[in-house]
Amino acid sequence: NSIWVSTDHDEIEKVAKQFGAQVHRRSPEVSQDSSTSLEAIREFLNHHHEVDIVGNIQATSPCLHPSDLIKVADLIQKEGFDSVFSVVRRHQFRWSEVKKGENKMTEPQNLNPAKRYRRQDWPGELYENGSFYFARRHLIEKGYLQGGKMAYYEMRAEHSVDIDIDIDWPIAEQRVLSFGYFGKEPLKEVKLLVCNVDGCLTNGRIYVTEDQKEMVSYDYRDIVGIDLLKKRGIQVRLISERDCSKTLSAMKLGCIAKVSATNKLKVLEDWQKEMGLSRKEVAYLGNEESDVECLKKAGMSGVPADACALAQKAAGYICKSSGGCGAVREFAEHIFLLLEKVNSARKQ
């Protein structure tokens, strides 16, 4: 019936409202590092007596699909369950832990080593994946997220992603691009990448010789990235606030470029109109405050790792590489992953 974001952070509140959610301002008492989801939910219910059922969606599970939530809501509303939680099937053999110094052997937990079968022939076991917990009000008020007439909802393995530690991030990024939900609007292929020159294609440094000639450095991997984009039918255009036409000419990239651009957004919109593209067919790689509006308008946006804070906030993807050190190539690969997602959706 309603979608709420529980937070004590002004910026999160602002973003949540931009996307149409209502906001519950969480109190300091339930906003500690040690606070549990259940504590935050119980506080929410104390302020919202009209709520009978809560679906707690975990932000650390980014591959959740609306179709799953609809089916789970039906289990409670139409089939009379008191609580429903998400699980995923895993095919892992478990062994008992032997702590250091203990004089005993490990024991099998869910297999017979004498009759060991192939894992792919084994139905596996169900594990909570932490993606969501649905429960009726009376259970939550008693301090439970699970109880009463319970049911589990088995999610597909490719949709089951839980971000707990740093190494989970790159895995989640790949899963979201391959299996994530991108809304009802059909995905579009990227047909144009606009890249800021200074700080993206180059590292932003300008070297001046004694005879006052300017030199810049770039990473050959980025040139390869541009070539790969072109081979995939994606046009690459360059933009710069300064007159770097001599530098671009020397690099021999074969890309249309706009230098001395005082209004990057207008240039971007003019190119988009000229090529007859929708917003979702345009990608933008920027790094400065002057790129922020372009990053917001583009269907896909990215920044190098050393981009300014405002640009990072506006971007959808932050590269691990810095400007002039492979960021263009990395963002190109990010685009290729999206194209795989588009092609997969078409086949389905």
Side-chain angles (χ1 to χ4, degrees):
N1 298 104
S2 57
I3 299 173
W4 294 80
V5 171
S6 174
T7 183
D8 65 334
H9 195 278
D10 292 339
E11 184 66 20
I12 293 175
E13 176 178 4
K14 179 182 175 182
V15 173
K17 288 180 176 178
Q18 285 176 351
F19 282 86
Q22 300 180 69
V23 173
H24 169 77
R25 287 298 296 203
R26 191 184 300 185
S27 70
E29 289 75 22
V30 297
S31 301
Q32 307 302 312
D33 289 344
S34 57
S35 297
T36 65
S37 298
L38 181 58
E39 290 172 338
I41 295 169
R42 292 181 74 179
E43 180 192 69
F44 172 83
L45 287 179
N46 288 336
H47 291 84
H48 297 277
H49 300 288
E50 76 281 4
V51 175
D52 298 315
I53 300 169
V54 171
N56 178 34
I57 301 169
Q58 304 279 57
T60 48
S61 301
C63 269
L64 183 61
H65 281 231
S67 58
D68 290 332
L69 297 179
I70 292 168
K71 292 173 184 176
V72 171
D74 285 345
L75 286 173
I76 289 186
Q77 293 175 316
K78 297 179 180 179
E79 298 188 33
F81 286 96
D82 294 311
S83 61
V84 184
F85 54 93
S86 58
V87 300
V88 66
R89 190 173 297 275
R90 292 179 180 168
H91 298 79
Q92 296 172 321
F93 295 136
R94 291 182 288 108
W95 292 79
S96 63
E97 181 179 357
V98 178
K99 294 182 179 179
K100 190 174 181 180
E102 291 183 342
N103 187 23
K104 63 179 184 180
M105 295 186 298
T106 184
E107 297 288 341
Q109 298 291 302
N110 61 351
L111 78 153
N112 180 356
K115 297 180 179 180
R116 187 183 180 95
Y117 34 70
R118 299 189 311 165
R119 285 190 296 175
Q120 58 266 44
D121 296 331
W122 175 47
E125 297 179 326
L126 297 177
Y127 288 79
E128 279 189 38
N129 65 357
S131 187
F132 58 78
Y133 297 86
F134 277 61
R136 293 186 181 274
R137 182 188 188 96
H138 68 86
L139 277 176
I140 297 171
E141 288 177 335
K142 292 178 182 178
Y144 307 121
L145 278 174
Q146 296 156 303
K149 184 181 177 183
M150 289 186 289
Y152 62 78
Y153 180 86
E154 185 176 348
M155 291 178 60
R156 291 164 58 183
E158 59 267 31
H159 293 163
S160 182
V161 181
D162 190 26
I163 301 176
D164 281 327
I165 56 177
D166 289 349
I167 198 172
D168 294 331
W169 273 104
I171 297 171
E173 288 175 353
Q174 298 286 329
R175 289 280 189 92
V176 168
L177 285 168
S178 298
F179 307 109
Y181 179 72
F182 287 82
K184 294 181 179 179
E185 186 178 343
L187 288 170
K188 297 279 189 178
E189 283 193 25
V190 173
K191 295 182 179 178
L192 170 65
L193 168 62
V194 178
C195 176
N196 189 31
V197 175
D198 299 307
C200 291
L201 182 58
T202 72
N203 60 13
R205 296 174 181 172
I206 299 175
Y207 305 90
V208 182
T209 63
E210 290 182 355
D211 55 354
Q212 297 185 338
K213 290 183 178 179
E214 292 185 358
M215 294 188 298
V216 297
S217 65
Y218 62 90
D219 194 313
Y220 184 70
R221 290 174 296 178
D222 290 331
I223 308 304
V224 172
I226 290 175
D227 287 340
L228 290 172
L229 287 163
K230 290 180 178 179
K231 288 176 181 177
R232 293 287 291 266
I234 300 170
Q235 190 170 149
V236 179
R237 296 191 179 188
L238 307 173
I239 192 167
S240 176
E241 292 175 275
R242 68 185 188 91
D243 185 359
C244 56
S245 51
K246 290 184 179 179
T247 299
L248 295 175
S249 176
M251 293 172 74
K252 298 179 180 179
L253 298 173
C255 299
I256 293 173
K258 175 66 176 178
V259 298
S260 304
T262 56
N263 188 336
K264 292 181 178 177
L265 180 59
K266 186 177 185 309
V267 174
L268 177 67
E269 290 174 338
D270 287 345
W271 281 343
Q272 180 182 327
K273 185 177 180 180
E274 171 199 325
M275 296 178 67
L277 303 178
S278 68
R279 182 181 67 85
K280 287 205 167 188
E281 294 173 302
V282 178
Y284 191 93
L285 184 65
N287 69 301
E288 283 297 340
E289 188 173 341
S290 58
D291 295 308
V292 167
E293 292 306 314
C294 294
L295 291 166
K296 290 179 178 178
K297 294 288 184 181
M300 179 181 282
S301 59
V303 293
D306 55 350
C308 75
L310 284 175
Q312 289 193 20
K313 276 188 176 182
Y317 180 79
I318 300 177
C319 297
K320 297 173 182 64
S321 306
S322 297
C325 298
V328 178
R329 171 65 183 270
E330 182 181 338
F331 191 54
E333 291 176 349
H334 183 67
I335 292 173
F336 296 150
L337 283 171
L338 176 70
L339 294 181
E340 289 177 13
K341 170 70 180 177
V342 174
N343 293 330
S344 175
R346 285 177 176 170
K347 290 176 183 177
Q348 291 176 2

